[in-house]
Amino acid sequence: MSTVKLLWQYKWVALITLVFEWLILAPVLLMMLRFGNKEVVVNLAQTPIGSSNFFGIFIDAFSTSPGLVYAVIAFAITVPTLILFKFALAVGTMASMHEGKWSFSQWLSLSGKHFLRAIGLLLRWLIVPAILCGLAVLVFKLFDIESAVSKIITLAVCWFLSISWLFMSLNGVARNESWSLKNGAITLFKNLHQFLLIVLVFLALFVLAKLMNWQLFVNNSDINTTLLCGVFGAFAIALFMRIVVLYWQAAHVVVWRKHWKIN
Amino acid sequence: MKNLQCIVLVFGFILSVSTMASALRIAGPHSERVHQTTIKASLDVESHRVTAEMNLKWKNTTNDTLHEIPFHLYLNAFSSTDTVFMRESGGGQLRGDKREGDDKENFGYVIVTKLSNAQGKDLLANWQMDNSVATLSLSEPLESGQTIEFNMSFTSQLPKVFARSGHNGDTFNFVAQWFPKPSVYINGKWVNHRYHAHSEFFADFGSYDVTLTVPTDYVVGATGFLADKQQEGDLTRHHYVAEDVHDFVWTADKNFAEANQQWQGINIRLLYQEPLDEKSIQNQFDAAIASFEWFEKYVGAYPYSTMTLVQPPEDASGAGGMEYPTLVTTITDLDYSSFQHSAALVTIHEIGHNYWQGILASNEFEESWMDEGINSYTEGRILAEAMKRKNVAQFAHLSIELPMVHHASTARTPTFDPVNTNSWSFINSRAYGTNSYSKPATILNTVERVWGVEKVDLLLTAYYQQWAFKHPNTKNFLDVAKTIDVEMAQFLDDAINTTKTIDFTVVSLQSEKKHQGGGYRLLLEQQSEVTPEYTKPSKSDLYSNTVTLAYQGELTPPSIEVLLTFEDGSEETHIWQLDANKQWKTLRFESEVKLVEAIVDPRFTLLLDKDLSNNIKKERSESNQAWRWVVSLLQSMHHLINAFLPL
């Protein structure tokens, strides 16, 4: 089965995950909205968002009201919860994909069923980025590499290689198999060309999402844009981003199944 | 006034035709030339030590008879951990650069080894040194108008640089505040403060004739004009002449690369660290030329024929971003950037100092704002007007103008001290920084926006014309302001000499349908048995609006605008004439369309306002604009998590 076909079969996962995510992030959103509406009241004609006058108002509001700080603290507390929840849903999604059919209750059950083993894998996997990124830093030192661009690109490749390894290994957890980390590595390194393709497509789609998000910001700064456009635009972009993430997960399932010749 | 300035400039050019090889672009003397200083110095590049002989002719231009001459020995501030500078700076640090350790190469000093008068009589017994200051007791009183001559030998050991002067432990040497410098006698007293952590310098104008001997493979830059250069074996003598300046500084590094550009009789010389691309080099020249163009248009002529820009190496960044007459240091990161202009801004800032510190030469110990503050204001204008870079930083859709940066810094610093405070007397470093740089810039930005840029231009021009080369103080500046606008001068006086502040706010805004009177209609001649006529209360088509405005603080302009915005987008501007006896006002009026928003000072003229965020109030149902940026911001953070951990 192709990645796109699998992706389409699990399209509701993207939407429902988005709803869960927004529910988890809702306190942060509400606090920021309260801070914004109460402290950073702007007139788009005099203080367009992003303008120097907006910057002045924002800095003054930030300094005179703790609202934004509370929102940031709420975000810092929420993010680990969000990540753990999404991790459970990710392994549930992959397990469901291996079973080949999707239902809401089955998806949540699989998420709960594999969650603890997935956490175990995560803890074992943590050494992988540490080693790969550490080796990259060693190379910078040995070859006296100064270029910041080279450093960033190398570290990014190492990180995505590590992440891809994790997702390959998650297939093993989702299928109740042993030696998932080892088998994940075998699958990844014997399909490196696939890894590159997945990363390239993922990054391209991510950049597209960022551009869309940026365009939303620009439009929202315009006095003529209605708030309704802003809200629907934000929803559409967030949904698109969820589909991009689902593509990443589906691609790893497809590569795994092809490698291990699972029909 | 501008015409007169042009005539002076043209006349100066004519006079200086013969001075194509001269320290002055416009023939002098411009100052009293209190001293003539001749120095012959040699640099030992291994030990970073300068040995020198100095001949000083010092004229008593005051009306008093003097019995002593205090000197500054600034380099002694780095002699031990017990100096005032080291103690005040927490063991030795400035602008983020710290003393690297306790090895002796991190310390420096200047000591006078020989001292005699013109007749050769030894005067060392009269020389009382107290770390960064010294006093020479005169054996005979020095009458007004008399000149005295000394010969000195001295040794200057450069410290490893973290605060302006020093070396980088390798080839770079920045030789600043390196020789015994006479103090200034002004307003009936000597100004001989020690080298404080939060102060710069103050000295008399004079002439310098300095011969520097350094290894031939070293590139040298110095204050003034290179009159002669002679190689003798492995060493080369560089002979520099400077006139009408109050300091002499020099640098030597064999890693310097050099570029030059001429602009209207000024040789701009860039000493930089390689590699540096052509665009970055040209950016430096553009910044320098833009500065000169702006100053000549709005302030006055640059009288010198040279300007040397020095880029210290990365491991000597402590020497960067500092001004000296006709020589300034820039920053280590000189790369041109299209989205932030710090490389150009530092150069503009330091060249600006050649006016406010170099030519006006106020007392930086006691009134640092007169140099740093006015300069922080003019640098913003040069960047915006002469370099056409309105924003100091531009990240895609986010733009930040320099006046708003200064506002943010001013508003966030508690007002415990007036701007006009001795530099070492502020409550803390932050207060020194804000009151010396951002707050004076914000005061001038406010004056520009409230009273108009033309009046500020008149003020700067008149200030230069009246006080160039004369060490003006705050009162002199305010006196000039009074001749332009008394109200403006009073505002400046309050803002500079007091801790008065200001914060405008819209306290409340209500807009609702107007009530039509209703109920029982009771008449005087009402008969008891007749029921009074009843009409039902109703609402008319008109809106009844109430807006309450207020301010806290005393630093008020004569009036301020209030912009009222209605539901259909129409706007009305109301002028609030401010009354010191009543710090609030309620606007009551009717309108056909609902009032949805009120802004005090919609053009952001009063940048001294402590909190701009309370200047706007929306009618409750309209206050949901935060969606516009909150969702984007939160989504951006969320996207980053998804990208790096695609779960």
Side-chain angles (χ1 to χ4, degrees):
Chain A
M1 185 184 282
S2 74
T3 303
V4 175
K5 204 170 175 183
L6 190 60
L7 181 71
W8 183 246
Q9 192 180 334
Y10 281 78
K11 54 189 176 293
W12 296 112
V13 166
L15 180 65
I16 297 165
T17 308
L18 177 63
V19 172
F20 284 145
E21 280 180 330
W22 277 23
L23 284 174
I24 291 171
L25 285 174
V28 183
L29 184 68
L30 293 175
M31 289 182 85
M32 286 185 74
L33 281 174
R34 180 176 160 73
F35 165 75
N37 286 326
K38 192 167 180 293
E39 313 294 348
V40 198
V41 179
V42 294
N43 172 320
L44 292 182
Q46 310 294 330
T47 56
I49 293 167
S51 68
S52 200
N53 289 343
F54 176 84
F55 169 77
I57 289 177
F58 191 89
I59 294 293
D60 285 0
F62 172 68
S63 310
T64 52
S65 159
L68 186 63
V69 175
Y70 290 152
V72 171
I73 291 170
F75 186 70
I77 293 169
T78 310
V79 162
T81 314
L82 182 75
I83 288 175
L84 285 177
F85 194 81
K86 285 170 32 148
F87 195 56
L89 291 184
V91 71
T93 306
M94 291 176 88
S96 176
M97 283 174 173
H98 280 288
E99 290 195 0
K101 56 181 179 188
W102 182 82
S103 75
F104 180 67
S105 57
Q106 173 238 26
W107 175 49
L108 288 187
S109 298
L110 288 172
S111 299
K113 181 181 169 188
H114 296 295
F115 178 58
L116 287 179
R117 285 191 65 227
I119 292 291
L121 172 72
L122 183 70
L123 294 175
R124 280 178 282 138
W125 165 82
L126 281 176
I127 198 168
V128 174
I131 289 173
L132 285 179
C133 294
L135 282 173
V137 172
L138 197 65
V139 169
F140 301 150
K141 293 273 182 200
L142 285 176
F143 294 96
D144 203 18
I145 294 171
E146 291 285 336
S147 163
V149 176
S150 306
K151 286 179 181 175
I152 289 168
I153 290 175
T154 310
L155 282 173
V157 168
C158 291
W159 175 250
F160 278 111
L161 201 60
S162 309
I163 287 284
S164 196
W165 188 336
L166 174 68
F167 273 84
M168 286 301 180
S169 307
L170 270 180
N171 283 290
V173 173
R175 291 174 56 80
N176 280 320
E177 293 173 0
S178 306
W179 301 103
S180 51
L181 199 59
K182 179 187 154 198
N183 289 340
I186 291 168
T187 318
L188 175 65
F189 290 106
K190 288 198 172 172
N191 295 279
L192 268 180
H193 60 291
Q194 295 278 14
F195 158 75
L196 282 174
L197 186 67
I198 295 167
V199 168
L200 283 176
V201 173
F202 174 78
L203 286 180
L205 293 172
F206 170 72
V207 169
L208 185 62
K210 282 303 296 172
L211 290 174
M212 287 161 64
N213 199 45
W214 183 246
Q215 198 54 46
L216 176 77
F217 178 73
V218 172
N219 283 333
N220 277 347
S221 309
D222 188 341
I223 192 169
N224 296 317
T225 307
T226 63
L227 290 178
L228 208 59
C229 291
V231 176
F232 278 109
F235 174 76
I237 296 164
L239 187 60
F240 177 72
M241 191 64 204
R242 278 307 328 157
I243 291 170
V244 173
V245 171
L246 194 62
Y247 161 80
W248 169 273
Q249 293 167 358
H252 281 83
V253 172
V254 170
V255 172
W256 173 279
R257 292 178 74 85
K258 274 188 185 163
H259 180 80
W260 298 101
K261 297 186 173 52
I262 300 166
N263 294 317
Chain B
M1 212 173 276
K2 291 270 165 62
N3 290 339
L4 179 68
Q5 195 179 315
C6 290
I7 292 166
V8 170
L9 192 61
V10 171
F11 186 62
F13 274 132
I14 293 166
L15 278 178
S16 60
V17 166
S18 60
T19 65
M20 280 303 158
S22 158
L24 290 176
R25 173 180 174 233
I26 299 170
H30 300 284
S31 67
E32 284 186 309
R33 294 191 181 173
V34 173
H35 62 87
Q36 278 180 272
T37 304
T38 306
I39 304 177
K40 289 183 168 53
S42 301
L43 173 68
D44 180 343
V45 294
E46 297 301 320
S47 61
H48 306 285
R49 187 175 297 158
V50 178
T51 49
E53 290 176 358
M54 178 167 90
N55 174 267
L56 174 67
K57 294 186 181 73
W58 195 88
K59 185 179 178 183
N60 181 1
T61 56
T62 75
N63 296 322
D64 297 338
T65 300
L66 304 175
H67 301 276
E68 61 181 30
I69 302 178
F71 283 74
H72 293 284
L73 303 172
Y74 288 115
L75 218 46
N76 284 347
F78 305 102
S79 61
S80 77
T81 54
D82 295 328
T83 65
V84 168
F85 180 92
M86 291 288 203
R87 284 203 310 270
E88 287 182 348
S89 66
Q93 56 180 320
L94 188 73
R95 301 180 299 193
D97 285 291
K98 289 185 177 178
R99 180 166 58 87
E100 281 187 14
D102 294 332
D103 295 337
K104 73 175 183 181
E105 65 170 2
N106 293 295
F107 295 87
Y109 59 81
V110 51
I111 47 172
V112 174
T113 51
K114 285 182 190 169
L115 175 60
S116 61
N117 63 13
Q119 292 74 41
K121 185 185 171 192
D122 187 359
L123 298 176
L124 263 184
N126 298 358
W127 179 256
Q128 296 294 317
M129 189 178 76
D130 182 9
N131 201 256
S132 64
V133 292
T135 303
L136 177 63
S137 303
L138 303 178
S139 44
E140 291 177 14
L142 187 66
E143 302 293 337
S144 176
Q146 276 189 326
T147 298
I148 193 166
E149 183 175 349
F150 308 107
N151 290 303
M152 283 186 187
S153 298
F154 65 89
T155 303
S156 300
Q157 173 62 54
L158 299 176
K160 201 159 185 191
V161 64
F162 66 89
R164 307 184 180 102
S165 313
H167 62 88
N168 68 340
D170 193 9
T171 60
F172 176 76
N173 300 274
F174 199 80
V175 194
Q177 313 302 344
W178 58 291
F179 61 94
K181 199 187 297 178
S183 300
V184 180
Y185 189 90
I186 193 166
N187 299 328
K189 62 173 186 175
W190 285 105
V191 178
N192 59 332
H193 301 295
R194 294 171 188 281
Y195 192 165
H196 286 272
H198 295 316
S199 79
E200 292 190 353
F201 315 101
F202 186 39
D204 268 321
F205 288 97
S207 304
Y208 287 91
D209 185 305
V210 182
T211 305
L212 307 166
T213 303
V214 298
T216 299
D217 55 347
Y218 274 64
V219 178
V220 170
T223 297
F225 169 78
L226 179 62
D228 186 29
K229 188 174 165 182
Q230 286 191 348
Q231 186 177 342
E232 290 179 10
D234 293 341
L235 299 174
T236 296
R237 286 184 183 164
H238 304 255
H239 177 204
Y240 278 88
V241 174
E243 289 166 331
D244 296 314
V245 294
H246 55 64
D247 196 6
F248 186 93
V249 66
W250 57 289
T251 182
D253 186 358
K254 65 179 175 185
N255 292 329
F256 274 143
E258 181 177 348
N260 287 275
Q261 189 159 333
Q262 301 288 326
W263 184 80
Q264 297 198 1
I266 305 170
N267 179 41
I268 306 166
R269 182 184 184 214
L270 174 65
L271 299 179
Y272 63 92
Q273 307 291 323
E274 290 183 302
L276 188 67
D277 62 272
E278 284 301 318
K279 200 167 186 178
S280 300
I281 291 171
Q282 191 56 47
N283 187 40
Q284 289 300 300
F285 288 128
D286 291 346
I289 290 168
S291 304
F292 288 126
E293 279 177 341
W294 191 90
F295 272 105
E296 298 222 334
K297 186 174 178 187
Y298 293 107
V299 179
Y302 180 75
Y304 310 110
S305 63
T306 60
M307 171 53 71
T308 303
L309 315 175
V310 178
Q311 181 200 6
E314 262 185 58
D315 56 359
S317 59
M322 187 57 199
E323 70 279 9
Y324 306 92
T326 77
L327 185 149
V328 299
T329 56
T330 57
I331 51 175
T332 53
D333 183 7
L334 273 185
D335 291 330
Y336 169 80
S337 163
S338 58
F339 60 86
Q340 55 89 12
H341 306 305
S342 57
L345 195 65
V346 172
T347 301
I348 291 169
H349 182 88
E350 305 309 337
I351 288 180
H353 276 305
N354 264 260
Y355 277 79
W356 309 119
Q357 188 256 358
I359 298 173
L360 274 298
S362 304
N363 180 348
E364 286 200 279
F365 289 111
E366 297 173 8
E367 298 176 302
S368 54
W369 82 269
M370 299 199 72
D371 170 31
E372 301 292 0
I374 300 176
N375 195 32
S376 295
Y377 166 73
T378 53
E379 77 185 5
R381 288 194 54 189
I382 294 166
L383 193 70
E385 295 170 19
M387 293 207 75
K388 309 293 181 206
R389 297 177 192 172
K390 197 178 171 202
N391 301 312
V392 66
Q394 176 84 49
F395 301 100
H397 203 59
L398 177 65
S399 50
I400 304 172
E401 295 169 13
L402 205 51
M404 201 49 89
V405 174
H406 288 310
H407 154 78
S409 171
T410 304
R412 301 287 65 81
T413 305
T415 311
F416 293 125
D417 302 292
V419 165
N420 189 15
T421 298
N422 293 334
S423 58
W424 62 90
S425 300
F426 287 100
I427 186 170
N428 52 31
S429 302
R430 185 181 176 192
Y432 161 76
T434 301
N435 282 292
S436 299
Y437 293 81
S438 286
K439 187 167 179 185
T442 306
I443 292 168
L444 288 168
N445 279 316
T446 298
V447 166
E448 176 194 312
R449 293 174 182 209
V450 173
W451 280 275
V453 70
E454 296 79 12
K455 286 194 176 173
V456 178
D457 291 344
L458 283 174
L459 171 61
L460 297 180
T461 307
Y463 176 55
Y464 176 88
Q465 286 177 346
Q466 289 181 37
W467 290 102
F469 300 100
K470 290 176 187 162
H471 306 304
N473 57 26
T474 302
K475 183 179 179 304
N476 302 139
F477 180 81
L478 294 174
D479 285 343
V480 175
K482 271 183 205 159
T483 64
I484 292 160
D485 188 312
V486 176
E487 213 168 41
M488 176 182 85
Q490 184 58 50
F491 183 88
L492 281 167
D493 194 351
D494 286 346
I496 292 164
N497 284 320
T498 73
T499 53
K500 292 177 180 175
T501 57
I502 189 68
D503 179 21
F504 280 93
T505 181
V506 183
V507 177
S508 63
L509 182 152
Q510 284 179 309
S511 182
E512 47 194 31
K513 286 275 177 90
K514 188 186 171 191
H515 289 279
Q516 295 279 31
Y520 289 107
R521 190 165 174 230
L522 303 176
L523 303 172
L524 282 173
E525 63 279 17
Q526 187 72 51
Q527 293 172 342
S528 59
E529 68 274 15
V530 179
T531 305
E533 186 186 346
Y534 178 81
T535 51
K536 194 176 177 184
S538 63
K539 290 185 176 176
S540 79
D541 290 337
L542 291 176
Y543 283 88
S544 175
N545 306 304
T546 308
V547 181
T548 302
L549 314 164
Y551 69 85
Q552 286 185 303
E554 307 85 13
L555 209 52
T556 52
S559 62
I560 200 147
E561 285 182 11
V562 181
L563 182 72
L564 305 167
T565 306
F566 297 89
E567 200 167 32
D568 62 354
S570 60
E571 293 177 339
E572 270 181 36
T573 301
H574 173 84
I575 305 296
W576 180 13
Q577 298 295 339
L578 299 170
D579 178 357
N581 296 317
K582 191 179 180 190
Q583 298 193 191
W584 61 274
K585 180 176 186 173
T586 298
L587 307 177
R588 294 180 204 279
F589 58 98
E590 291 176 0
S591 61
E592 291 181 354
V593 185
K594 188 177 183 183
L595 176 70
V596 291
E597 181 185 284
I599 313 178
V600 185
D601 194 18
R603 293 186 296 119
F604 292 78
T605 58
L606 201 69
L607 288 174
L608 281 168
D609 194 321
K610 289 294 267 185
D611 183 3
L612 295 173
S613 70
N614 60 8
N615 286 21
I616 304 181
K617 184 77 84 181
K618 284 180 187 286
E619 202 273 333
R620 187 176 297 172
S621 62
E622 290 289 317
S623 184
N624 52 9
Q625 298 283 18
W627 266 102
R628 295 175 178 274
W629 62 269
V630 165
V631 170
S632 287
L633 182 65
L634 200 61
Q635 273 202 171
S636 292
M637 292 192 281
H638 191 193
H639 281 189
L640 283 177
I641 294 172
N642 280 332
F644 287 96
L645 202 58
L647 293 168

